[in-house]
Amino acid sequence: QVQLVESGGGLVQPGGSLRLSCAASGRIFSINDMGWYREAPGKQREYVARITIDGSTNYADSAKGRFTISRDNAKNTVSLQMNSLKPEDTAVYYCNADRITYRSDTDFYTKYDSWGRGTQVTVSS
């Protein structure tokens, strides 16, 4: 089994910064694209940023210029550095992996569309 666990959320003042991290656990062989999404109260979950296995990145317009996504393939982690935070960035942030290949003693398995449980980010004075 594989699992994604987010960390790093919290309360920050407008204009401040936070760094979110997501660690994938299990006997992981490889992870394709990894990304971040967020869900604000009363709103649908929305895309924030994505990074491919070779490091290519893509951002939602709301994140461009303020957020930076990165990953460490050796540690199976993805991070989101968030700067110049605004109250509208308040949401639960979720980590996503589109395809995880993991192994047992004898076989390889693939898990699609994995999600973490989320970490709360609150931007408020």
Side-chain angles (χ1 to χ4, degrees):
Q1 284 291 349
V2 295
Q3 192 175 13
L4 300 177
V5 179
E6 302 95 337
S7 61
L11 173 64
V12 64
Q13 291 187 341
S17 298
L18 277 177
R19 185 176 181 85
L20 306 183
S21 295
C22 171
S25 62
R27 300 182 70 180
I28 294 171
F29 178 75
S30 67
I31 306 175
N32 278 36
D33 293 4
M34 300 186 78
W36 290 93
Y37 291 73
R38 66 187 183 186
E39 189 171 326
K43 295 186 177 181
Q44 288 188 331
R45 190 171 298 188
E46 65 175 11
Y47 165 76
V48 176
R50 197 149 200 89
I51 185 167
T52 66
I53 193 170
D54 61 2
S56 297
T57 59
N58 182 271
Y59 298 90
D61 287 344
S62 60
K64 287 178 182 176
R66 299 188 301 127
F67 295 1
T68 302
I69 189 171
S70 60
R71 66 187 287 174
D72 185 330
N73 291 334
K75 296 181 179 179
N76 296 317
T77 59
V78 62
S79 298
L80 185 69
Q81 176 67 41
M82 304 187 295
N83 300 327
S84 303
L85 283 162
K86 306 173 182 179
E88 51 264 43
D89 294 318
T90 296
V92 177
Y93 283 70
Y94 296 91
C95 175
N96 173 266
D98 72 336
R99 188 173 72 188
I100 301 175
T101 301
Y102 61 100
R103 58 183 184 262
S104 68
D105 288 341
T106 57
D107 290 301
F108 286 87
Y109 302 89
T110 301
K111 183 176 181 182
Y112 295 94
D113 199 27
S114 301
W115 293 90
R117 293 188 175 183
T119 185
Q120 176 70 47
V121 171
T122 302
V123 185
S124 175
S125 55

